[in-house]
mmCIF file of all heavy atoms in Angstrom:
data_model
loop_
_atom_site.group_PDB
_atom_site.id
_atom_site.type_symbol
_atom_site.label_atom_id
_atom_site.label_comp_id
_atom_site.label_asym_id
_atom_site.label_seq_id
_atom_site.Cartn_x
_atom_site.Cartn_y
_atom_site.Cartn_z
ATOM 1 N N ALA A 155 -11.672 35.180 -10.310
ATOM 2 C CA ALA A 155 -10.574 36.249 -10.290
ATOM 3 C C ALA A 155 -11.107 37.611 -10.527
ATOM 4 O O ALA A 155 -10.258 38.580 -10.275
ATOM 5 C CB ALA A 155 -9.530 35.934 -11.387
ATOM 6 N N TRP A 156 -12.353 37.761 -10.850
ATOM 7 C CA TRP A 156 -12.808 39.197 -11.181
ATOM 8 C C TRP A 156 -14.332 39.167 -10.861
ATOM 9 O O TRP A 156 -15.122 38.197 -11.327
ATOM 10 C CB TRP A 156 -12.580 39.502 -12.566
ATOM 11 C CG TRP A 156 -12.967 40.802 -13.012
ATOM 12 C CD1 TRP A 156 -13.990 41.287 -13.871
ATOM 13 C CD2 TRP A 156 -12.201 42.022 -12.594
ATOM 14 N NE1 TRP A 156 -14.059 42.556 -13.860
ATOM 15 C CE2 TRP A 156 -12.953 43.150 -13.220
ATOM 16 C CE3 TRP A 156 -11.122 42.316 -11.876
ATOM 17 C CZ2 TRP A 156 -12.651 44.558 -13.124
ATOM 18 C CZ3 TRP A 156 -10.844 43.689 -11.624
ATOM 19 C CH2 TRP A 156 -11.467 44.736 -12.219
ATOM 20 N N PRO A 157 -15.014 40.077 -10.220
ATOM 21 C CA PRO A 157 -16.384 40.169 -9.904
ATOM 22 C C PRO A 157 -17.344 40.123 -11.043
ATOM 23 O O PRO A 157 -18.481 39.717 -10.962
ATOM 24 C CB PRO A 157 -16.469 41.417 -9.015
ATOM 25 C CG PRO A 157 -15.137 41.929 -8.683
ATOM 26 C CD PRO A 157 -14.122 41.391 -9.631
ATOM 27 N N SER A 158 -16.875 40.635 -12.282
ATOM 28 C CA SER A 158 -17.711 40.694 -13.433
ATOM 29 C C SER A 158 -17.714 39.526 -14.399
ATOM 30 O O SER A 158 -18.226 39.624 -15.457
ATOM 31 C CB SER A 158 -17.479 41.999 -14.185
ATOM 32 O OG SER A 158 -17.560 43.153 -13.415
ATOM 33 N N SER A 159 -17.017 38.433 -13.993
ATOM 34 C CA SER A 159 -16.848 37.288 -14.835
ATOM 35 C C SER A 159 -17.358 36.084 -14.176
ATOM 36 O O SER A 159 -17.264 35.971 -13.031
ATOM 37 C CB SER A 159 -15.460 37.195 -15.377
ATOM 38 O OG SER A 159 -14.638 36.857 -14.260
ATOM 39 N N VAL A 160 -17.720 35.144 -14.940
ATOM 40 C CA VAL A 160 -18.033 33.843 -14.454
ATOM 41 C C VAL A 160 -16.684 33.175 -13.953
ATOM 42 O O VAL A 160 -15.739 33.202 -14.602
ATOM 43 C CB VAL A 160 -18.722 32.809 -15.445
ATOM 44 C CG1 VAL A 160 -18.908 31.383 -14.963
ATOM 45 C CG2 VAL A 160 -20.038 33.425 -15.930
ATOM 46 N N PRO A 161 -16.608 32.632 -12.727
ATOM 47 C CA PRO A 161 -15.500 32.037 -12.101
ATOM 48 C C PRO A 161 -14.948 30.838 -13.090
ATOM 49 O O PRO A 161 -15.774 30.045 -13.372
ATOM 50 C CB PRO A 161 -15.751 31.589 -10.826
ATOM 51 C CG PRO A 161 -16.911 32.352 -10.503
ATOM 52 C CD PRO A 161 -17.775 32.640 -11.728
ATOM 53 N N ALA A 162 -13.751 30.881 -13.397
ATOM 54 C CA ALA A 162 -13.092 29.792 -14.184
ATOM 55 C C ALA A 162 -12.492 28.683 -13.326
ATOM 56 O O ALA A 162 -12.104 27.655 -13.818
ATOM 57 C CB ALA A 162 -12.039 30.327 -15.138
ATOM 58 N N TRP A 163 -12.528 28.961 -11.961
ATOM 59 C CA TRP A 163 -12.064 28.002 -11.075
ATOM 60 C C TRP A 163 -12.689 28.080 -9.684
ATOM 61 O O TRP A 163 -13.310 29.095 -9.379
ATOM 62 C CB TRP A 163 -10.404 28.064 -10.866
ATOM 63 C CG TRP A 163 -10.038 29.534 -10.351
ATOM 64 C CD1 TRP A 163 -10.036 30.649 -10.993
ATOM 65 C CD2 TRP A 163 -9.890 29.711 -8.953
ATOM 66 N NE1 TRP A 163 -9.572 31.703 -10.135
ATOM 67 C CE2 TRP A 163 -9.626 31.054 -8.814
ATOM 68 C CE3 TRP A 163 -9.889 28.991 -7.830
ATOM 69 C CZ2 TRP A 163 -9.358 31.832 -7.611
ATOM 70 C CZ3 TRP A 163 -9.714 29.752 -6.512
ATOM 71 C CH2 TRP A 163 -9.481 31.068 -6.427
ATOM 72 N N CYS A 164 -12.619 27.101 -8.874
ATOM 73 C CA CYS A 164 -13.141 27.018 -7.595
ATOM 74 C C CYS A 164 -12.260 26.197 -6.631
ATOM 75 O O CYS A 164 -11.901 25.020 -7.216
ATOM 76 C CB CYS A 164 -14.604 26.722 -7.568
ATOM 77 S SG CYS A 164 -15.309 26.721 -5.876
ATOM 78 N N GLU A 165 -12.062 26.548 -5.582
ATOM 79 C CA GLU A 165 -11.319 25.666 -4.702
ATOM 80 C C GLU A 165 -11.975 25.552 -3.288
ATOM 81 O O GLU A 165 -12.457 26.452 -2.824
ATOM 82 C CB GLU A 165 -9.860 26.298 -4.317
ATOM 83 C CG GLU A 165 -8.998 25.642 -3.496
ATOM 84 C CD GLU A 165 -7.666 26.408 -3.277
ATOM 85 O OE1 GLU A 165 -6.879 26.404 -4.166
ATOM 86 O OE2 GLU A 165 -7.414 27.017 -2.184
ATOM 87 N N PHE A 166 -12.123 24.272 -2.835
ATOM 88 C CA PHE A 166 -12.723 23.912 -1.603
ATOM 89 C C PHE A 166 -11.695 23.399 -0.677
ATOM 90 O O PHE A 166 -10.874 22.676 -0.914
ATOM 91 C CB PHE A 166 -13.715 22.727 -1.769
ATOM 92 C CG PHE A 166 -14.902 23.211 -2.713
ATOM 93 C CD1 PHE A 166 -14.809 22.798 -4.021
ATOM 94 C CD2 PHE A 166 -16.070 23.839 -2.262
ATOM 95 C CE1 PHE A 166 -15.791 22.972 -4.908
ATOM 96 C CE2 PHE A 166 -16.998 24.120 -3.116
ATOM 97 C CZ PHE A 166 -16.972 23.629 -4.393
ATOM 98 N N VAL A 167 -11.745 23.778 0.631
ATOM 99 C CA VAL A 167 -11.070 23.271 1.675
ATOM 100 C C VAL A 167 -12.009 22.300 2.491
ATOM 101 O O VAL A 167 -13.017 22.816 3.022
ATOM 102 C CB VAL A 167 -10.339 24.282 2.621
ATOM 103 C CG1 VAL A 167 -9.552 23.530 3.691
ATOM 104 C CG2 VAL A 167 -9.487 25.126 1.800
ATOM 105 N N VAL A 168 -11.783 20.918 2.577
ATOM 106 C CA VAL A 168 -12.685 20.004 3.024
ATOM 107 C C VAL A 168 -12.112 19.172 4.049
ATOM 108 O O VAL A 168 -10.896 18.709 3.982
ATOM 109 C CB VAL A 168 -13.190 19.142 1.863
ATOM 110 C CG1 VAL A 168 -14.290 18.160 2.366
ATOM 111 C CG2 VAL A 168 -13.832 19.935 0.694
ATOM 112 N N ARG A 169 -12.884 18.826 5.123
ATOM 113 C CA ARG A 169 -12.620 17.827 5.973
ATOM 114 C C ARG A 169 -13.681 16.683 5.921
ATOM 115 O O ARG A 169 -14.824 17.034 5.838
ATOM 116 C CB ARG A 169 -12.625 18.272 7.486
ATOM 117 C CG ARG A 169 -11.407 19.088 7.770
ATOM 118 C CD ARG A 169 -10.569 18.422 8.936
ATOM 119 N NE ARG A 169 -9.227 19.118 9.038
ATOM 120 C CZ ARG A 169 -8.876 19.543 10.248
ATOM 121 N NH1 ARG A 169 -9.583 19.336 11.317
ATOM 122 N NH2 ARG A 169 -7.725 20.064 10.308
ATOM 123 N N ALA A 170 -13.354 15.361 5.979
ATOM 124 C CA ALA A 170 -14.252 14.327 5.811
ATOM 125 C C ALA A 170 -14.055 13.388 7.035
ATOM 126 O O ALA A 170 -13.032 13.182 7.464
ATOM 127 C CB ALA A 170 -13.916 13.523 4.563
ATOM 128 N N ALA A 171 -15.330 13.003 7.561
ATOM 129 C CA ALA A 171 -15.368 11.956 8.575
ATOM 130 C C ALA A 171 -15.054 10.579 8.037
ATOM 131 O O ALA A 171 -15.316 10.270 6.929
ATOM 132 C CB ALA A 171 -16.654 12.095 9.385
ATOM 133 N N LEU A 172 -14.439 9.672 8.874
ATOM 134 C CA LEU A 172 -14.187 8.328 8.528
ATOM 135 C C LEU A 172 -14.657 7.406 9.622
ATOM 136 O O LEU A 172 -14.578 7.789 10.805
ATOM 137 C CB LEU A 172 -12.664 8.091 8.221
ATOM 138 C CG LEU A 172 -11.954 8.989 7.231
ATOM 139 C CD1 LEU A 172 -10.513 8.578 7.255
ATOM 140 C CD2 LEU A 172 -12.579 8.867 5.841
ATOM 141 N N TYR A 173 -15.118 6.215 9.201
ATOM 142 C CA TYR A 173 -15.467 5.217 10.331
ATOM 143 C C TYR A 173 -14.133 4.671 10.813
ATOM 144 O O TYR A 173 -13.275 4.530 10.080
ATOM 145 C CB TYR A 173 -16.297 4.090 9.612
ATOM 146 C CG TYR A 173 -17.587 4.529 9.183
ATOM 147 C CD1 TYR A 173 -17.951 4.482 7.767
ATOM 148 C CD2 TYR A 173 -18.634 4.727 10.023
ATOM 149 C CE1 TYR A 173 -19.175 4.800 7.388
ATOM 150 C CE2 TYR A 173 -19.895 5.133 9.573
ATOM 151 C CZ TYR A 173 -20.164 5.094 8.228
ATOM 152 O OH TYR A 173 -21.493 5.360 7.722
ATOM 153 N N PRO A 174 -14.210 4.321 12.112
ATOM 154 C CA PRO A 174 -13.112 3.541 12.625
ATOM 155 C C PRO A 174 -12.992 2.200 11.846
ATOM 156 O O PRO A 174 -14.000 1.614 11.471
ATOM 157 C CB PRO A 174 -13.551 3.296 14.073
ATOM 158 C CG PRO A 174 -14.397 4.430 14.494
ATOM 159 C CD PRO A 174 -15.165 4.670 13.176
ATOM 160 N N GLY A 175 -11.727 1.901 11.647
ATOM 161 C CA GLY A 175 -11.475 0.718 10.727
ATOM 162 C C GLY A 175 -11.243 0.944 9.234
ATOM 163 O O GLY A 175 -10.768 0.153 8.571
ATOM 164 N N THR A 176 -11.670 2.232 8.826
ATOM 165 C CA THR A 176 -11.307 2.674 7.507
ATOM 166 C C THR A 176 -10.046 3.440 7.630
ATOM 167 O O THR A 176 -10.051 4.544 8.305
ATOM 168 C CB THR A 176 -12.377 3.522 6.910
ATOM 169 O OG1 THR A 176 -13.610 2.695 6.929
ATOM 170 C CG2 THR A 176 -12.119 3.948 5.461
ATOM 171 N N THR A 177 -8.963 3.035 6.941
ATOM 172 C CA THR A 177 -7.685 3.932 6.952
ATOM 173 C C THR A 177 -7.840 5.156 6.244
ATOM 174 O O THR A 177 -8.652 5.196 5.318
ATOM 175 C CB THR A 177 -6.526 3.104 6.523
ATOM 176 O OG1 THR A 177 -6.534 2.930 5.048
ATOM 177 C CG2 THR A 177 -6.328 1.747 7.168
#
Side-chain angles (χ1 to χ4, degrees):
W156 186 252
S158 298
S159 63
V160 174
W163 62 275
C164 184
E165 181 178 286
F166 300 96
V167 181
V168 181
R169 286 246 173 124
L172 304 178
Y173 293 113
T176 301
T177 69

